[in-house]
Amino acid sequence: MHQLTLAEIARGLADKKFSSEELTKTLLARIAQLDPQLNSFITLTEDLALEQAKAADARRANGETGALLGAPIGHKDLFCTLGVRTSCGSKMLDNFKAPYDATVVAKLAAAGAVTLGKTNMDEFAMGSANESSYYGAVKNPWNLEHVPGGSSGGSAAAVAARLLPAATGTDTGGSIRQPAALTNLTGLKPTYGRVSRWGMIAYASSLDQGGPLARTAEDCAILLQGMAGFDPQDSTSIDEPVPDYSASLNGSLQGLRIGVPKEYFSEGLDPRIAQLIHTSIQELEKLGAVIKHISLPNMQHAIPAYYVIAPAEASSNLSRFDGVRFGHRCEDPKDLTDLYKRSRAEGFGPEVQRRILVGAYALSAGYYDAYYLQAQKIRRLIKNDFMTAFNEVDIILGPTTPNPAWKIGAKNSDPVSAYLEDVYTITANLAGLPGLSMPAGFVDGLPVGVQLLAPYFQEGRLLNVAHQYQLNTDWHLRSPAGF
Ligand code: GLN
C-alpha cells in the first residue's frame, strides 16, 4: 500500500479497496520501522492522523468524494499546526505549540487530508542540505551517507522512501525543487502569492512560497489544488481564480517552445548532469516541443543578490524571537538585554546566526545603499531577463542543481560552497515565477532533476509538461533500495 501515489490512493479509497484508517495505520507502522534510518520527521501526529482518517472514511461513507479525502500527507515543520509542536527545525521553537493552523494546513485538512506528522527541515529553512536542523541531519534514502537536499529535506526523504505519498514544502531559494531533484521526486514552487503564507513561519517574506512534493506531476497537481487560493489573511496572496490543475495535465506538447538558457550549462555544472538534461530535452522534442537557445544575462548576479536579500529579510523576521513572547528563554537573565542576548544566542544555531549578522549588516545605515539597494536592482534585472525570454518561449528548461547530493558534512566548513548549489533555483524566487523539478536520471546511483520554469500563474503548464514527460519516461518510478 505504501507504493501508491495520491492519485492511486484516491481511486483505491473511492473503490473501497481499503480505508483511510487502514492506510494511515500501515504508513505509521512503516514510519516507526524505517524513519530511524532517515530522521525525516520531527514530530509524529498519530492520534490526530487516526482521528482525521476515521473522519475522512465517514465522509466517504456519506457519499462525499475528493482527491485528498483520506489521503495521508506530512507538513514541513514550519507550517503552524494547532496544538502541535511547530519547531521550524530550531531549538528556539522546540517548546512552541502553535495556537492556530496555517491556512495551508487548514485548507488541506478541510479537503480531508490526513496529517501523519511534521517533517524535518533546515533550521528556519536556511540551507540546502538539511544538516542545520536542531533535530539532526536528514539522510537521503538513495544513499544514507548523502544529504537529501534542503531545506524541505524531511518532506523529500519521507516521500522518496515511501513513508508518505506526498508532503508540503516551502521554497525561498530552491527548497522544494532542490530536495526533489536530489531524492528523485517531483516538486513545485508556485508563483509568489499563489499559496497563502499565513501561518508559515517566515524566513524571507518576499521569496517564501509553499508548494507540493510528491512522486509524480499528477500528484503535485492534486496537492497544489488543495493548497492554492486567495487568502485575505496574507496581504501578498493574489486574488486570481485557481484553475483545475489535474485537468491541465493532458494537453499536447506539439509546438511548445522550450527555452534553454546558455547560462545554465556553464562551468560548475557536472557534465554527467548536463548529459542527462540534454537527454530530457530530446525526450520533449519527441513529444513535439521546439527548442530555442536563449540567454538570461544577469543570472551570474543571482547568488550574491539572493544572499543579501534573504538574510536581510531573515534578520528582520527573526527579531520576533526575543525570549519574551514565545520560544526559548535563557535561565536567570540579569536584565532585559541579557535576556535577549542569551535567549537568541542559545536558541539559534550557527547558520541562522550567520544569516542574521549578514542581514543586519546589509541593512545598517551606510551599507544599505551599497548592498540591499543594489541587490534589489539586480532582482529587477533578473525579472526583466525572464520577461524578455518569455516573449519568445513558453517554458524555460535547465538542470535543477549543478551536482548530485553530496556527502553529509562535506560542505560544513565552507558555507559558500553550499550557497553555490542554489545557482539554478534562486532566480525563480527573485522573480516570483513558478518552477518545477522532476526526475531526469541518475549519476553514481544518485538522482538528478530537470527544472522547468514558466510565466506567472502557469503552474498548469509546468504540470502538463512534467506529466507528459512522465508518461514517456520511467525515472520517477524508481525507488531507493531498502525502502
Ligand atoms: N538554500 C537556500 C538558502 O539557504 C534556499 C533555502 C530555501 O529555499 N528555504 O537560503
Side-chain angles (χ1 to χ4, degrees), residues 52 59 68 73 75 79-82 100-113 115 168 196 198-199 226-227 231 233:
Q52 287 178 326
R59 282 166 67 179
L68 286 165
I73 57 162
H75 287 299
F79 286 99
C80 284
T81 34
L82 173 68
Y100 62 94
D101 276 333
T103 299
V104 161
V105 172
K107 277 174 86 83
L108 289 172
T115 304
T168 57
S196 169
W198 196 73
M227 299 173 78
D231 179 6
Q233 311 241 54

Side-chain angles (χ1 to χ4, degrees), residues 80-401:
C80 284
T81 34
L82 173 68
V84 174
R85 172 168 64 178
T86 300
S87 75
C88 225
S90 182
K91 178 177 178 186
M92 183 57 92
L93 290 177
D94 183 48
N95 64 4
F96 176 64
K97 285 194 176 155
Y100 62 94
D101 276 333
T103 299
V104 161
V105 172
K107 277 174 86 83
L108 289 172
V114 173
T115 304
L116 300 198
K118 308 289 298 288
T119 56
N120 205 343
M121 55 179 284
D122 275 305
E123 186 175 3
F124 283 99
M126 297 172 187
S128 19
N130 221 124
E131 294 179 276
S132 75
S133 169
Y134 172 61
Y135 304 91
V138 177
K139 316 282 165 49
N140 189 326
W142 290 91
N143 183 330
L144 298 172
E145 288 179 5
H146 288 246
V147 303
S151 62
S152 313
S155 289
V159 178
R162 277 64 178 161
L163 307 184
L164 285 173
T168 57
T170 63
D171 192 311
T172 303
S175 283
I176 289 175
R177 291 162 288 157
Q178 189 254 13
L182 302 193
T183 60
N184 207 41
L185 298 182
T186 308
L188 175 75
K189 172 223 172 283
T191 306
Y192 183 77
R194 176 78 292 182
V195 169
S196 169
R197 291 184 301 107
W198 196 73
M200 203 177 100
I201 297 175
Y203 162 16
S205 312
S206 77
L207 302 160
D208 297 341
Q209 189 60 198
L213 276 150
R215 301 210 308 268
T216 63
E218 188 182 26
D219 281 6
C220 282
I222 293 172
L223 194 54
L224 179 63
Q225 201 76 47
M227 299 173 78
F230 176 60
D231 179 6
Q233 311 241 54
D234 170 1
S235 61
T236 59
S237 161
I238 296 180
D239 197 356
E240 279 280 323
V242 180
D244 180 342
Y245 294 116
S246 297
S248 67
L249 294 172
N250 291 313
S252 157
L253 304 192
Q254 201 61 46
L256 180 88
R257 298 167 304 167
I258 298 183
V260 180
K262 66 169 189 281
E263 292 80 4
Y264 272 56
F265 294 86
S266 55
E267 225 188 298
L269 173 63
D270 183 326
R272 298 166 302 173
I273 295 189
Q275 192 50 50
L276 289 170
I277 303 304
H278 285 300
T279 309
S280 67
I281 292 173
Q282 286 162 0
E283 200 60 55
L284 290 165
E285 278 182 305
K286 279 193 229 152
L287 299 177
V290 182
I291 304 304
K292 291 194 174 225
H293 295 283
I294 60 164
S295 173
L296 297 169
N298 290 292
M299 204 183 112
Q300 53 176 319
H301 305 303
I303 290 196
Y306 173 88
Y307 278 98
V308 169
I309 294 170
E313 294 186 17
S315 76
S316 166
N317 276 326
L318 271 56
S319 64
R320 67 179 60 126
F321 303 106
D322 55 8
V324 176
R325 286 164 292 186
F326 41 72
H328 177 74
R329 177 180 296 174
C330 69
E331 297 283 336
D332 302 325
K334 282 203 305 288
D335 53 27
L336 191 60
T337 309
D338 186 45
L339 169 80
Y340 291 153
K341 277 192 181 164
R342 280 202 291 123
S343 300
R344 287 169 67 81
E346 290 165 10
F348 291 135
E351 185 59 29
V352 174
Q353 294 193 19
R354 176 163 30 243
R355 307 264 181 131
I356 292 173
L357 282 175
V358 169
Y361 179 84
L363 288 176
S364 57
Y367 296 108
Y368 178 90
D369 289 356
Y371 295 108
Y372 187 72
L373 205 59
Q374 287 299 103
Q376 292 289 23
K377 288 180 183 169
I378 291 170
R379 185 172 189 176
R380 174 48 64 111
L381 294 176
I382 287 169
K383 178 188 172 208
N384 291 350
D385 284 354
F386 277 120
M387 296 303 100
T388 308
F390 282 129
N391 284 329
E392 282 181 55
V393 299
D394 303 309
I395 61 163
I396 291 175
L397 180 149
T400 309
T401 64

Side-chain angles (χ1 to χ4, degrees), residues 32-53:
Q33 184 202 346
L34 295 172
D35 198 47
Q37 293 178 61
L38 298 169
N39 197 26
S40 66
F41 282 90
I42 292 176
T43 304
L44 285 175
T45 50
E46 291 106 326
D47 294 346
L48 172 68
L50 288 169
E51 191 186 301
Q52 287 178 326

Side-chain angles (χ1 to χ4, degrees), residues 5 156 161 163 448:
T5 63
L163 307 184
V448 166

